[in-house]
Structures are given as structure tokens and as C-alpha cells.
Amino acid sequence: MGLFDGLTNASFKSDAEGNTIFFPYGKLGKGRTIADKDTEEKVRRFITRYLWVNLFFVIVVGRLVGFFWILLALPIIIAWYRREIERHLKDAPTSDTKMSVEESMQNMATGTPRLLLRFILLASIVSLLVSLALLIETGEIGFMLAVLFFSLCSALPIYMLRSKNKDEHGRSSLHTPDSEAFQNNQEP
């Protein structure tokens, strides 16, 4: 389990009948009912691969040739995502089941290890304090934006850690191949 597993979990939910529903566009779109575990696993692997490609573009391409090129590549990346999702889910019916932002965040928290969430929280707080010190020292507006950004970055892992604590009491809507183990916060 890692950060990308948690991010992937944010797009999946079980409906009342126990079917796996995948939300390719999050809260903005309709869910698709996944018929079998094999298809679910293929979609999960693709989402993880998609996240890795995005990370590569932001870090490597953005740093080497500039962030402008990321914007130019964005339509290609989006088209690739849409094509792959449709390929995997071509026969999957849409679902009337909805997913709230809270459910998505809770599912993300369930799939992300506590240690990683604590590390992200610590890094965010350190970055917040450094930005605050630089803001006080220089008074530059850019550091004020950094303070706001890292404040939000600190709030997310706090929310997710609190959500993980709720999961220990059996309130998760997460459906994964080993959902019972995840809901009990155990390693599969």
C-alpha cells in the first residue's frame, strides 16, 4: 500500500448490492459498474500507471523543459486516460450510485499507510513554518501564497488520519479486493 494505491481507491465504491462502482471522473461524472474482479484489477493498474505518468511529467518534463510543455501535453494525457477507461469499461453500465467527496477522501485515507500520511503532514508543517518565516522576514506576496498552500497541504493528511480512525470503527464505503482487511486496518 502506498500513496498511489490510496489515490486509486478514491475512485472506487461499493453499492448497496455489493457491486464495485468506479468513478472515472470522481464526483463530476457518473459511476460505472464493474462486472468482475479481473476488470477491476485492470482498471486499478491503469489508474496507478496513469498517476505515475502524471508524476513523471510534472517532475521531469516540467523541470527539464518547463511547465508550459506540460500544458501542451495535457490534451494527449487526457485523451489517453479516456481511451483506456473506455477500453476497459466498454460494456460497463452506468450506475445511479453517487460518491461524495467525503467518501472519496475516506477511501483514499484507507488505502494510504499511516506512516506515509504522518510523513506528508510533517513535511507540510515544516514547509509551512519555513514559508511563514520567509514571509515575516521578506514580506513578499509569494511567501503568503506558500503559507496558504502549505496550510491546505497540512489540513489534508490531518483529515485523512482522522478518517482512518473512523474506518477502524467500520464506517468505510471502500471496496477493494481485500476490503475486509482494509476496513479492519490490517495488512492483507
Side-chain angles (χ1 to χ4, degrees):
M1 271 295 121
L3 179 61
F4 289 117
D5 294 322
L7 292 171
T8 300
N9 286 346
S11 300
F12 290 86
K13 175 181 179 172
S14 290
D15 65 8
E17 292 83 38
N19 299 315
T20 300
I21 310 297
F22 170 63
F23 294 84
Y25 305 105
K27 186 168 174 43
L28 300 177
K30 290 192 175 237
R32 305 280 294 270
T33 304
I34 297 180
D36 56 71
K37 296 287 184 194
D38 185 48
T39 303
E40 178 183 349
E41 194 55 41
K42 286 178 184 176
V43 171
R44 285 181 178 278
R45 279 196 311 269
F46 168 71
I47 296 298
T48 302
R49 187 171 50 248
Y50 176 77
L51 293 170
W52 276 109
V53 167
N54 283 322
L55 180 67
F56 170 80
F57 264 91
V58 169
I59 292 176
V60 176
V61 175
R63 188 71 185 137
L64 291 178
V65 295
F67 289 99
F68 175 73
W69 294 101
I70 294 173
L71 293 176
L72 290 178
L74 195 59
I76 296 167
I77 293 170
I78 291 171
W80 172 54
Y81 177 83
R82 290 185 62 150
R83 184 180 58 84
E84 286 298 306
I85 292 301
E86 286 306 314
R87 186 172 66 88
H88 290 301
L89 300 176
K90 62 180 176 255
D91 298 326
T94 58
S95 172
D96 292 331
T97 302
K98 304 285 185 211
M99 181 184 289
S100 69
V101 173
E102 183 179 359
E103 287 174 311
S104 179
M105 294 295 294
Q106 186 175 0
N107 292 346
M108 188 186 319
T110 303
T112 307
R114 269 193 173 79
L115 184 60
L116 181 57
L117 289 174
R118 289 179 181 139
F119 174 76
I120 293 169
L121 177 59
L122 178 65
S124 298
I125 290 172
V126 168
S127 299
L128 171 64
L129 294 174
V130 168
S131 299
L132 187 60
L134 290 170
L135 174 64
I136 291 168
E137 187 173 316
T138 65
E140 290 184 29
I141 189 96
F143 292 119
M144 186 182 333
L145 295 174
V147 167
L148 292 173
F149 175 75
F150 289 117
S151 295
L152 292 174
C153 288
S154 298
L156 183 63
I158 290 170
Y159 178 82
M160 291 174 69
L161 284 165
R162 293 185 78 204
S163 182
K164 268 182 113 54
N165 290 337
K166 286 181 187 177
D167 285 348
E168 290 176 351
H169 303 293
R171 291 185 236 164
S172 176
S173 64
L174 177 65
H175 175 78
T176 64
D178 298 312
S179 61
E180 196 171 308
F182 284 113
Q183 286 183 2
N184 294 328
N185 239 4
Q186 300 168 354
E187 291 298 318

